[in-house]
Structures are given as C-alpha cells and as structure tokens.
Amino acid sequence: MDDVILLDFWVSVFGQRVRIALAEKGVHYENREENPQNKTPLLLEMNPVHKKIPVLIHQGKPVCESNIIVQYIDEVWHDDKSPSLLPSDPYLRAQARFWADFVDKKVYEAGKKIWMTEGEEDRQVAKKELIEVLKVLEGQLGEKPYLVGESFGLADIALIPFSVWFHAFGKMTMNMNIERECPKLAAWVNRCMEREAVSKSLPHPHKIYEFDQKKKKGHE
Amino acid sequence: MDDVILLDFWVSVFGQRVRIALAEKGVHYENREENPQNKTPLLLEMNPVHKKIPVLIHQGKPVCESNIIVQYIDEVWHDDKSPSLLPSDPYLRAQARFWADFVDKKVYEAGKKIWMTEGEEDRQVAKKELIEVLKVLEGQLGEKPYLVGESFGLADIALIPFSVWFHAFGKMTMNMNIERECPKLAAWVNRCMEREAVSKSLPHPHKIYEFDQKKKKGHE
C-alpha cells in the first residue's frame, strides 16, 4: 500500500488528470468522493487555501493543484516499470508545462463559458472561441503523436479530460464537430483513449451530459 | 557566452522574476527591452500564443511564462557553483510550485485591481483584498526564512517583485503599511533584498510610482 488518498469529484476534469497519472504509474490509492456543495472537514484541512479538489494526500501530506500533483506523481514514482510523464530534456519539460498551463488558461475558460451560457447566440460565440483555442492545440500537435515530444505526458493529461466535454457540447445542439474542425486533435483523442489509464479514468460522455441536464433542471 | 536573450520590459514583475533567476545562476545574457505598445516581430515570432514578455531565448529556442522559465533556468544551469532554485525533495518542489502559482492567481490579481481602480472607496476594497492575500503568505512563511524550505527559490522569486508595488501603494495615499499588517513578510522582503541577484534586478519603487503617474496622466 502506497498510503495515498485522492480527494476527488467524478465530474472534475482536474480530478481526472490525477486519476490518469496515478493509473499510468500503477499507484494504488483510495479514492474519496467529495461533494462540492458540502465539503468534508478533511478537504478544508488539506487544502485550506483554495478549498478545492483534487487533493492528493501522500503519507498524510497534501499536494494541491492538478498539474502540480501530476508532476509530483512523476517525481515520486519514478522508476523503469512505469512511463515518465515529463520528458527528461529541460526544453521539452518547459514545453510540457507551457501547454498544460495553456489548457488551464484557455481551454478551461472557453469550455466553462459554453456550460454557463444559456442563450443560443452567446453559446455560438463561446463555441467559436473554444474552436479557435483548439486550433492552436491542433497546430502544436502537428504530425506528432502527442502534444510535446514523442510520449504521452503532462500536457496530454491536462487536455484529455476535456475531450469528454466536446462530446457533450456536440449533443447540446451546438453542431460542434471536433473531427471536422480539428482532425489531428480528434485522432489524438482516439490515440489517448487507447491507453487503459486514460479510458478507465474518464467518465462516459453521456454521463457528463446527463449531469449537466440534471443540474440545469435543479436550477430552474 | 551562453547564447541567451531575454525579451523583457523593465516594469514587468514577470520579467523581473527571470532577471533574478538568471542573476542567481550567474548566466550572462542580452536583455532586449520590448515596448508593450509596439511589439517587435521577434517577440511575436517567439511567443505567438500569448504575445507577451518575458521570453527567454536560449540557443535560438523560446521559453515562455515566467514561473516556467525560472524552472527551466534551474534545470539547465544546474551545478555546484550556483544555488538551486527548487528543493530536491518532491514534496517541497510541489509546495514551491503551489505558492508560485498562488502568487500568480491571487497577489497579481489583487494588486492589478489596485492599479486599475480609480475611486478611493473601490481602492480601499481592493487594498483589503490584497492584505488578506498577503496574510495567507505571512502564515505560510511562519518562522521560516523563505516561503518554502530553508532556501531562497521559485516561490520567493515569484513574489519578491511585487514588494516594489507595495511601496508604490503606500505612496498612493492608501495607508498601506506592510510592516504593520505582515511583519514577517516585511522582514522576508528585507532578507531577499540583501541578495544582490534580487536587489539589482528590481527597479526602485519610486520609478514604478512615477511610471504609473505618467501613465495615468497620459490617459487623462
């Protein structure tokens, strides 16, 4: 037993990143589901600054912020048996961090706008913004199998949970077709999903869509 | 010659971080001053995504985003002659990244509000917000000499350029007194400023205040 607890919430793209990294490394851990509406005292104690999941508690000590947790996991469970999640070359490491940060700043913000927006017109503006952001990633991907270097890693882990959103956006009568707009990115999604660590860590797109629909009904 | 060029703008707290890291490591570099109102083709070519300084161009290849650049510098110029800017322990490394990220998310946002706000009442609200954020950092500092671990590093480099702002805020008739509100943080500022790499990389507070006054006049 590695003495690892993950404070998580199944819908969270940030929690999903940590689940993917732990699965890639083959780390055994206890997953504790949090309710964002009713946070446990443990969560508030372990992340008093942001009070947010995910928190990785390793040997009693908390690590917060998903991209930071993924790097922590890569540094702690570093052996020949599991893949490295960051390249060894400093320049490629900086690239990986840059694109993981880009996903937080741009993809998350653009995607959130789509979830939050109610009117059809505003939603189309938000959709256009997201497509533009994804086209930047399409450019970065180019002919490479993964976003940075030749191996699956930090930047891919940062982005792949959002692929579930794209499916949901497609269902939200948005006529958003990633295959048509960003064919290389669509192929990259399929490539990532072939990894068991990824596919088993992400919820089915239909469940996310259902969750959103229920939430909206609850607010009516 | 290390073949290093820094695209910079003297007022930028983000550029100052990179200058401090390069100075700590004793890296020789060429500093090229950019004008944010009239960006050079080189800047647009080297940072096509965000189009912002600082950009570190090392052997012709660009690295962007200040906290990422500092980590890159630490990884590339890693020897016994200069200090490490990140601890070797993975948990402390995660802590350093967490607090550097906290500065970006909280200190920068709260500080920016003060610069941008015109009315006295709004400014007092913004000031209160900044003080609250600084008190969190005061708590993290505790009795330690630096923000994370025992050595000056990434988190300190992220925060120290803002100390120049605090002086300017004091002058902006805001009655903001860091020594009174956060005495440990004030002592930490002095401790950092004793490092030549820090003091020579930061502009005089009066110059920042003057710059702001001129800018405001220009907008009238």
Side-chain angles (χ1 to χ4, degrees):
Chain A
M1 185 61 189
D2 290 309
D3 190 10
V4 178
I5 297 168
L6 175 61
L7 306 184
D8 197 5
F9 176 49
W10 70 275
V11 180
S12 164
V13 286
F14 303 111
Q16 288 153 22
R17 289 174 176 174
V18 180
R19 272 181 262 161
I20 292 171
L22 290 168
E24 286 283 348
K25 292 287 186 175
V27 178
H28 296 281
Y29 66 101
E30 180 191 341
N31 197 93
R32 289 201 198 163
E33 198 66 10
E34 284 279 337
N35 176 355
Q37 310 304 325
N38 184 19
K39 296 172 182 178
T40 65
L42 183 67
L43 173 58
L44 301 178
E45 183 197 331
M46 290 289 150
N47 190 358
V49 173
H50 299 303
K51 304 177 179 65
K52 283 181 186 167
I53 65 100
V55 179
L56 189 82
I57 309 174
H58 182 210
Q59 296 172 340
K61 290 194 291 184
V63 182
C64 303
E65 299 291 282
S66 61
N67 286 333
I68 294 173
I69 299 173
V70 171
Q71 292 179 71
Y72 175 80
I73 291 169
D74 191 49
E75 291 178 5
V76 169
W77 289 276
H78 201 79
D79 53 42
D80 296 337
K81 287 176 286 180
S82 59
S84 284
L85 304 178
L86 269 94
S88 55
D89 174 66
Y91 183 73
L92 291 178
R93 292 166 72 84
Q95 290 279 301
R97 290 181 182 125
F98 177 87
W99 289 106
D101 178 71
F102 176 86
V103 172
D104 278 7
K105 283 180 180 155
K106 302 290 182 179
V107 180
Y108 177 64
E109 290 305 322
K112 205 169 66 174
K113 261 190 211 162
I114 299 184
W115 287 121
M116 299 298 181
T117 307
E118 294 283 331
E120 183 53 28
E121 205 171 314
D122 289 345
R123 214 175 231 183
Q124 288 302 329
V125 172
K127 176 192 142 185
K128 213 181 140 195
E129 206 179 304
L130 178 61
I131 298 274
E132 270 170 34
V133 168
L134 294 180
K135 281 190 188 293
V136 175
L137 288 161
E138 175 92 352
Q140 166 61 19
L141 192 59
E143 302 306 323
K144 300 196 301 301
Y146 296 107
L147 282 167
V148 175
E150 295 298 315
S151 307
F152 177 81
L154 179 68
D156 306 293
I157 292 173
L159 181 61
I160 191 65
F162 289 93
S163 66
V164 177
W165 286 17
F166 306 155
H167 282 272
F169 293 159
K171 288 197 75 150
M172 285 153 77
T173 65
M174 293 191 56
N175 193 25
M176 181 163 157
N177 188 326
I178 293 289
E179 283 79 7
R180 191 183 56 222
E181 302 279 1
C182 302
K184 287 171 190 167
L185 209 58
W188 166 87
V189 170
N190 293 336
R191 200 172 301 125
C192 292
M193 290 301 271
E194 281 168 16
R195 302 177 80 87
E196 201 198 333
V198 176
S199 57
K200 79 173 187 186
S201 302
L202 299 183
H204 193 280
H206 185 69
K207 279 188 75 180
I208 294 288
Y209 177 69
E210 254 184 1
F211 175 81
D212 180 59
Q213 294 296 309
K214 269 188 203 159
K215 217 172 106 196
K216 278 185 180 141
K217 269 189 192 149
H219 284 300
E220 267 169 20
Chain B
M1 185 61 191
D2 290 310
D3 191 11
V4 178
I5 297 167
L6 176 61
L7 306 184
D8 198 4
F9 177 50
W10 71 275
V11 180
S12 165
V13 286
F14 304 111
Q16 288 154 21
R17 289 174 176 173
V18 179
R19 271 182 262 161
I20 292 170
L22 290 168
E24 286 284 348
K25 293 287 186 176
V27 178
H28 295 281
Y29 66 100
E30 179 190 342
N31 197 94
R32 290 200 198 164
E33 198 65 10
E34 285 279 336
N35 176 355
Q37 311 303 327
N38 184 18
K39 297 173 182 178
T40 64
L42 183 65
L43 174 58
L44 302 178
E45 184 197 331
M46 290 289 152
N47 190 358
V49 173
H50 299 302
K51 303 177 178 65
K52 283 181 186 166
I53 62 101
V55 179
L56 187 83
I57 308 175
H58 182 210
Q59 296 173 341
K61 291 193 291 185
V63 181
C64 304
E65 300 290 281
S66 61
N67 286 333
I68 294 174
I69 299 174
V70 172
Q71 291 179 72
Y72 175 80
I73 291 169
D74 192 49
E75 292 179 4
V76 169
W77 289 276
H78 201 78
D79 53 44
D80 296 336
K81 286 176 286 178
S82 59
S84 283
L85 304 178
L86 270 94
S88 55
D89 173 67
Y91 182 73
L92 291 178
R93 292 166 71 85
Q95 290 279 301
R97 290 181 182 126
F98 177 86
W99 289 106
D101 177 71
F102 177 85
V103 172
D104 278 7
K105 284 181 180 155
K106 303 290 181 177
V107 180
Y108 176 63
E109 290 306 322
K112 206 170 65 175
K113 260 188 212 165
I114 298 184
W115 286 123
M116 298 299 179
T117 306
E118 294 284 330
E120 183 53 26
E121 205 173 315
D122 290 345
R123 216 175 230 186
Q124 288 301 330
V125 173
K127 176 193 144 186
K128 213 180 139 196
E129 205 179 302
L130 178 62
I131 298 273
E132 270 170 35
V133 167
L134 294 180
K135 281 191 187 292
V136 174
L137 289 160
E138 175 93 350
Q140 166 61 18
L141 192 58
E143 302 307 322
K144 300 194 304 298
Y146 296 107
L147 282 167
V148 174
E150 294 299 316
S151 307
F152 177 81
L154 178 67
D156 306 293
I157 293 173
L159 181 60
I160 191 66
F162 289 94
S163 67
V164 178
W165 287 18
F166 308 154
H167 283 272
F169 293 158
K171 287 197 75 144
M172 285 153 79
T173 64
M174 294 192 55
N175 192 25
M176 181 163 158
N177 187 326
I178 293 290
E179 282 79 7
R180 191 182 57 222
E181 302 279 1
C182 303
K184 289 171 188 168
L185 209 59
W188 166 88
V189 170
N190 293 337
R191 201 172 300 126
C192 293
M193 291 301 272
E194 281 167 15
R195 303 178 79 89
E196 200 198 332
V198 175
S199 58
K200 80 174 187 187
S201 302
L202 298 183
H204 193 281
H206 186 71
K207 279 188 76 180
I208 294 287
Y209 177 68
E210 256 185 1
F211 174 81
D212 180 59
Q213 295 295 308
K214 269 189 203 156
K215 218 172 107 195
K216 277 183 181 141
K217 270 189 193 148
H219 284 299
E220 266 169 20

